[in-house]
Amino acid sequence: MAGRLLKVSSVATAVVASSGFYLYNHKLDPNDISLVRFGRAAATTAVISYDYMTSLKHVEYGSEEYWALKSQVHRRSAERLRNLCCANRGTFIKVGQHLGALDYLLPEEYTSTLKVLHSRAPQSSMEEIQQVIREELGKELSDLFISFDVKPQGAASLAQVHKAVLHDGRTVAVKVQHPKVQTQSSKDIVVMEVLLNMVHWLFPDFAFMWLVEEAKKNMPVELDFLNEGRNAEKVAVMLAHFPWLKVPKIHWDLSTRRILTMDFAEGGQVNDRDYMRRHSINVNEISQNLGKMYSEMIFVHGFVHCDPHPGNVLVRRCPNTKKTEIVLLDHGLYQILLPDFRLSYCRLWQSLIKGDLNGIERYSRRLGAGDLYPLFACVLTARSWTSVNAGIGNTPVTHSEDVEIRSNAALYLPQISDLLNRVPRQMLLLLKTNDLLRGIETTLQTRAASSSFINMSRCCTRALARHKRSKAQSRARRLQITMSESLTLWQISLYELFLWVKGSTLGGWVGSLLSCLHYTH
C-alpha cells in the first residue's frame, strides 16, 4: 500500500512539474489550470497518507510514544493541508476554514493550524475587481462611486470587501466576488470528492464524505450574493425586536449575483477584548445578547446564520444612543431547520440542561445518533459525560474538562467520523455554529456563565408551547398551554434574578451575614 502511495505521489509531482513548465512558457496563472490544482491536491493527500501509514507503523498502539508521535503527524499533516488551501485558494480555503472551526470534533493540531486561514484568504487585484464590477453593473467605478478604497477592508475565501462612498454621500461596503471562484468551485469539489474517497479506501475509519456533500450543497448558495441579501433582510425582520442587533441595509440597485452593496458598519470584532475595554463595552452583555440571538434563530425560528466567526460579528457603541450594539455580517450561509428536527433539538437541549438521561437518549436517537448517543451529547455540548449526567446547566465549565474534551477529539476520531455521517445534514452546520460560538465565549471568558442556558431554556419553552398550541383542538387547551408556558418563563426569570442577586454586591453581603449568624450559633 505504501508503494502504491509513492506511485501516486510521483505521478502527481510529475503532473505539477510538467504543468509548471508549460505555464511558464505560456505566461499563464497556474491556479487557473484544473490539472495543476488537482496535481497539487493529489500530491498533498498522498504525502499525508504515507506519513500516517509509515510513522506509526512500528510503535505500540496506545503507548505514550504512540500518542506523542501521532500528535506530531497530526501537526505536520495539518500544516501541509493549510499550505494546500493557501495555494489552491477559493473553495479549498472555504473548506479549510470549516474544518478549523470544528474545535471539539477534530484534533487540536488541525483546528489550531487551520484557524489561520480566516486571515490568510487571497486578495484579488484592483484590476480584477474593476473588471467584475464592469461585467456585473455595466459601469466604471467613477460612474458609481465618489471614492472607492483600493485596499480591501477584508478578504475572504470567496470575495473581498471595499469601502466606498456613493454620489449622495452615503458610505457603503461593496462585497466583490473573486473573479475565478465561480468557474473553479465545481471542479474543486470534484477533486475533493475523488481524493476523500481514496483516503477512505486506504483508511476505512476516515469517513469524512459529509464534508464534500456539504460543500456541494452550500457552495452554489454562498456564491449567489442576491441570496445573501435576501437572507440579511429576512433575519433583520425576524429579529427586529432586538434593538441592539444591526444588520446592514442592502442597496439592491448596486447588487448582483457577484456583487453585494450594503451600508458600511464600523465596529470591532466580537473576540477583541482590547477594543471592548477601550470603548467601555460590557463583555458579559455582548455574550448574553449573542446567546439570545442564536437561541432565537435555532429554537424559535429554525433559520440559522451558520458562519459566526469573529470577522462576521462586530460590536460597537452606537454614536447616537451610546448603547452597545452587535452588527451581524455575511449572510451567505443559513441553515433552515425542518420543524420535526427543530422540536427534537429543543427537547434534547432541555434534557441536556436538566440532566434527564432518558430524554437525552430518546431525542439523540431521534436525531440519528443511534447507540452513539453518549458521544453525541458530549460533542453537542463540548462537555464530559460526567457533566452531561449531572445536567450541564448545573455544572460550570472547568479548564481541565475543556482540555479533556479537546484531547478526546483525537482519541475518538473514528467514532466522531461515524457519528457525523449518521446525523441529519442539518446537524453539521449547527455543530460548526456551536463550536464557533463556544470559541467566542472562551475568548471573552464568559463560557462558564449560566446566561446561555437560561436563554436556551426560554426559547425552547416558547418554541414547544407554540407547537403545542398549533396542534390543540380547543380554545381551553390553547389557554392551558399558554398559562403553562407563562408559568415556566416566570420560573426561569425568577431563577435568573436569583443568580443576579447571588452574584451582586448585595448577594455578597447577605451571604457574609448568613455565614456570621451561622458561626455565632
Side-chain angles (χ1 to χ4, degrees):
M1 195 178 286
R4 194 184 308 165
L5 271 174
L6 279 174
K7 287 178 185 175
V8 171
S9 182
S10 302
V11 170
T13 305
V15 166
V16 172
S18 59
S19 302
F21 181 74
Y22 173 82
L23 294 171
Y24 177 79
N25 286 322
H26 290 77
K27 307 296 182 188
L28 295 174
D29 183 352
N31 284 307
D32 295 345
I33 308 299
S34 298
L35 192 61
V36 173
R37 298 166 71 80
F38 173 76
R40 193 186 280 144
T44 302
T45 304
V47 170
I48 290 174
S49 300
Y50 185 78
D51 196 1
Y52 274 104
M53 288 176 62
T54 56
S55 298
L56 304 170
K57 198 173 183 179
H58 303 294
V59 185
E60 182 186 350
Y61 177 82
S63 63
E64 284 188 25
E65 184 187 1
Y66 175 88
W67 294 117
L69 198 56
K70 192 163 189 178
S71 176
Q72 292 172 20
V73 179
H74 282 334
R75 184 73 63 188
R76 287 196 300 268
S77 301
E79 287 169 357
R80 290 171 182 136
L81 195 56
R82 180 197 62 204
N83 294 338
L84 168 65
C85 292
C86 290
N88 274 6
R89 304 186 297 182
T91 309
F92 280 84
I93 284 190
K94 192 71 183 175
V95 171
Q97 288 172 344
H98 185 101
L99 291 172
L102 301 177
D103 272 319
Y104 298 87
L105 299 178
L106 293 178
E108 184 274 337
E109 294 86 352
Y110 276 92
T111 56
S112 61
T113 303
L114 294 175
K115 265 182 177 32
V116 301
L117 291 174
H118 281 295
S119 56
R120 293 274 292 273
Q123 285 188 18
S124 295
S125 68
M126 197 57 206
E127 290 75 21
E128 289 174 316
I129 293 299
Q130 284 178 304
Q131 183 58 32
V132 172
I133 289 174
R134 201 177 291 123
E135 289 171 4
E136 292 295 307
L137 298 175
K139 292 183 180 180
E140 297 297 328
L141 278 181
S142 57
D143 297 328
L144 299 166
F145 310 101
I146 293 176
S147 66
F148 190 95
D149 286 2
V150 174
K151 185 180 178 183
Q153 294 288 308
S157 54
L158 306 182
Q160 62 193 51
V161 178
H162 292 260
K163 186 178 181 181
V165 179
L166 300 174
H167 285 286
D168 62 8
R170 287 176 295 171
T171 304
V172 294
V174 185
K175 182 174 179 177
V176 185
Q177 199 172 106
H178 296 308
K180 296 157 190 168
V181 167
Q182 195 84 242
T183 54
Q184 289 171 348
S185 63
S186 55
K187 297 171 188 173
D188 287 344
I189 290 170
V190 171
V191 167
M192 290 178 197
E193 189 168 21
V194 168
L195 295 177
L196 279 174
N197 271 316
M198 186 184 84
V199 172
H200 181 50
W201 174 62
L202 291 170
F203 304 98
D205 283 344
F206 185 93
F208 271 59
M209 291 313 295
W210 57 268
L211 197 59
V212 173
E213 291 169 18
E214 284 301 290
K216 265 184 184 176
K217 184 183 77 176
N218 295 326
M219 195 57 64
V221 175
E222 289 194 76
L223 288 170
D224 180 2
F225 289 175
L226 293 176
N227 177 68
E228 179 177 343
R230 289 190 292 270
N231 286 342
E233 288 194 338
K234 180 175 177 177
V235 84
V237 172
M238 188 176 86
L239 301 181
H241 57 286
F242 292 143
W244 40 262
L245 175 63
K246 302 299 172 187
V247 177
K249 178 189 170 187
I250 306 298
H251 294 258
W252 289 108
D253 56 324
L254 294 173
S255 298
T256 69
R257 286 177 65 88
R258 297 168 70 203
I259 294 173
L260 188 66
T261 305
M262 68 206 91
D263 284 349
F264 185 80
E266 301 277 3
Q269 289 194 4
V270 71
N271 63 344
D272 189 343
R273 288 178 64 88
D274 290 336
Y275 175 91
M276 294 192 208
R277 188 167 56 249
R278 288 197 309 273
H279 292 82
S280 303
I281 292 173
N282 187 318
V283 170
N284 291 314
E285 182 187 349
I286 290 296
S287 183
Q288 188 172 0
N289 285 344
L290 202 58
K292 282 181 185 176
M293 180 172 75
Y294 269 91
S295 291
E296 187 94 8
M297 285 186 199
I298 293 169
F299 300 114
V300 179
H301 299 285
F303 185 68
V304 190
H305 179 284
C306 285
D307 202 9
H309 78 77
N312 290 339
V313 186
L314 305 182
V315 294
R316 68 183 187 188
R317 273 202 174 278
C318 176
N320 299 323
T321 64
K322 303 301 179 188
K323 291 183 178 177
T324 302
E325 294 178 340
I326 292 176
V327 183
L328 192 60
L329 305 174
D330 198 343
H331 300 270
L333 187 57
Y334 270 75
Q335 181 68 276
I336 299 172
L337 307 182
L338 296 173
D340 287 347
F341 175 94
R342 180 171 57 84
L343 292 168
S344 293
Y345 194 63
C346 276
R347 291 186 172 107
L348 174 58
W349 271 104
Q350 283 188 322
S351 302
L352 287 164
I353 291 167
K354 296 174 188 171
D356 173 8
L357 295 184
N358 289 331
I360 290 169
E361 180 178 356
R362 183 185 310 119
Y363 296 114
S364 293
R365 287 184 182 277
R366 197 172 286 182
L367 289 168
D371 293 335
L372 292 174
Y373 72 88
L375 178 64
F376 181 55
C378 295
V379 161
L380 192 58
T381 58
R383 303 295 302 272
S384 67
W385 183 242
T386 305
S387 296
V388 170
N389 268 275
I392 58 172
N394 304 319
T395 52
V397 181
T398 62
H399 176 68
S400 59
E401 184 185 15
D402 226 17
V403 170
E404 178 192 341
I405 289 293
R406 288 174 185 271
S407 303
N408 285 344
L411 192 61
Y412 294 108
L413 189 58
Q415 291 91 334
I416 290 173
S417 176
D418 182 22
L419 177 65
L420 294 179
N421 277 295
R422 285 189 191 190
V423 296
R425 302 297 92 183
Q426 298 173 83
M427 184 60 71
L428 300 175
L429 282 178
L430 278 185
L431 290 172
K432 173 195 171 186
T433 304
N434 283 347
D435 274 356
L436 284 168
L437 290 171
R438 270 192 287 264
I440 291 170
E441 286 180 341
T442 301
T443 305
L444 297 181
Q445 297 174 9
T446 58
R447 193 162 165 232
S450 57
S451 60
S452 59
F453 297 124
I454 289 170
N455 292 324
M456 281 183 181
S457 297
R458 266 201 193 98
C459 287
C460 288
T461 300
R462 285 169 51 209
L464 292 170
R466 188 170 69 177
H467 171 69
K468 288 174 185 174
R469 270 194 298 271
S470 71
K471 299 291 182 184
Q473 300 295 320
S474 66
R475 184 178 296 177
R477 176 61 182 146
R478 285 194 291 273
L479 180 61
Q480 183 187 2
I481 292 165
T482 300
M483 290 178 65
S484 175
E485 175 192 10
S486 300
L487 179 62
T488 305
L489 290 174
W490 181 78
Q491 289 172 333
I492 292 170
S493 295
L494 200 62
Y495 178 62
E496 187 176 30
L497 178 64
F498 164 73
L499 291 176
W500 179 81
V501 170
K502 186 180 174 184
S504 67
T505 308
L506 175 63
W509 290 344
V510 172
S512 301
L513 180 62
L514 290 174
S515 297
C516 288
L517 289 172
H518 176 72
Y519 179 76
T520 319
H521 288 292

